Amino acid sequence: MQQFSTAGYDRALTVFSPDGRLFQIEYAREAVKRGTTSIGIKSKEGVVLAVDKKIKSKLIEPSSVEKIFKIDEHIATASSGLVADARRLVDIARQQAQVNRLNYHEPISVTGLAKYIGDLEQMYTQSGGIRPFGISLIIGGVSDGEPKLYETDPSGALVEYKATAIGLGRDKAFDLFEEKYEEDISLEDAIDLAIEGLYLATDGKVIDDSVEISVVDKDTEKYRKLNDDEIQNYVKKVIDRKEQEKIEAEKKAEEEAKEKEAKKAAKKAEREAKKAEEESKESSDEEIKDDE
């Protein structure tokens, strides 16, 4: 396929490049990829949202950095990308949730809210003089007794997931979920899996002060944010397990190396013994010839 320069085609949001790309949207996706890791997991008992807040300075109050937002009693969202854009979308989502309650006297469905946010993000890809939202959201909650989990994209695309991750380290977390996620996973195991996903996404640098976790319980259909002690216990459990796995992996590698060396030494000894045997046979043959 012919390659086209971005020059001229990324100056306006509404201009397609010759190969059908909108570069401003791709740039917005890059902003999301550079954001901190956010994870959402759907379990049989509810939905788990977990984020790495990535506190950059010890002078920052960790509680002031917010990446998980409560939308309604039964819906929450986790963000990655430009936090200011996330706050704007969250305000709109909260307003829409209240409008739905006033107009229809019932809570908005997770699917309905996710579609509304997706439509809004898509609107910001079709008008001049504006830019797309540099944010992706994981929207999770419980509607009609069923946990739901959606991911939005700066383009307005909307996908429902069983487990997903956005931001830095997304691929590592995805690989873990594809390996370990099960349909009947419990809420406790989902929290554990989410923290393990953050652990891998951050290359083992996750700490309890930087982790924020919220759940929406299926039975109560209520949002709850885990307190610091609960998060500390979960994080410690995962870190201890990963450290133990690391020790066992190193021990196994050491044993395999020793076994490999032993096999190598055994083969060498076998070759030397065979060589000595051949030399001894040749010497015996020569002595027989001399006697003749």
Side-chain angles (χ1 to χ4, degrees), residues 18-238:
D19 54 344
R21 297 161 65 186
L22 290 172
F23 288 108
Q24 290 291 334
I25 293 177
E26 294 186 19
Y27 298 158
R29 288 186 181 131
E30 286 300 318
V32 174
K33 290 179 182 178
R34 294 171 182 269
T36 55
T37 311
S38 295
I39 286 173
I41 298 177
K42 180 171 68 174
S43 81
K44 64 180 181 180
E45 299 171 351
V47 172
V48 175
L49 298 176
V51 300
D52 171 34
K53 296 191 290 188
K54 204 171 186 177
I55 308 300
K56 295 182 179 180
S57 171
K58 64 181 181 180
L59 300 178
I60 296 176
E61 286 287 353
S63 59
S64 68
V65 180
E66 190 176 12
K67 296 291 180 68
I68 299 178
F69 305 89
K70 178 181 177 182
I71 304 298
D72 203 344
E73 291 297 326
H74 62 301
I75 302 178
T77 182
S79 66
S80 183
L82 301 179
V83 181
D85 286 13
R87 288 202 305 268
R88 178 60 183 148
L89 282 177
V90 166
D91 287 343
I92 294 172
R94 287 170 174 168
Q95 183 180 9
Q96 184 62 23
Q98 295 307 309
V99 166
N100 195 89
R101 283 184 181 273
L102 289 172
N103 288 343
Y104 304 107
H105 305 288
E106 64 180 13
I108 192 170
S109 68
V110 181
T111 303
L113 181 64
K115 287 182 177 179
Y116 182 85
I117 295 300
D119 290 344
L120 179 65
E121 287 183 296
Q122 196 277 333
M123 283 175 54
Y124 276 73
T125 69
Q126 286 189 295
S127 302
I130 59 174
R131 64 166 176 81
F133 288 95
I135 197 76
S136 280
L137 297 177
I138 298 175
I139 302 172
V142 179
S143 295
D144 299 323
E146 287 297 324
K148 295 285 185 179
L149 189 71
Y150 291 90
E151 178 187 324
T152 70
D153 180 78
S155 68
L158 187 69
V159 182
E160 184 175 4
Y161 280 97
K162 298 173 182 176
T164 186
I166 53 178
L168 200 64
R170 180 181 192 270
D171 293 340
K172 294 179 182 178
F174 244 84
D175 291 342
L176 174 70
F177 299 156
E178 288 179 351
E179 178 187 351
K180 292 191 174 183
Y181 180 82
E182 297 177 354
E183 295 282 348
D184 61 346
I185 189 171
S186 66
L187 201 60
E188 289 286 317
D189 290 341
I191 294 173
D192 187 90
L193 184 60
I195 296 175
E196 186 173 354
L198 291 178
Y199 181 92
L200 293 178
T202 58
D203 296 323
K205 297 178 182 178
V206 64
I207 55 175
D208 49 40
D209 284 346
S210 69
V211 176
E212 185 177 357
I213 302 174
S214 295
V215 300
V216 181
D217 189 86
K218 177 182 176 180
D219 294 332
T220 62
E221 296 192 9
K222 297 291 184 182
Y223 167 89
R224 183 174 74 89
K225 182 177 179 180
L226 272 62
N227 59 46
D228 294 341
D229 291 338
E230 289 177 297
I231 293 174
Q232 184 177 6
N233 290 335
Y234 282 117
V235 172
K236 185 178 183 301
K237 179 181 176 183
V238 170

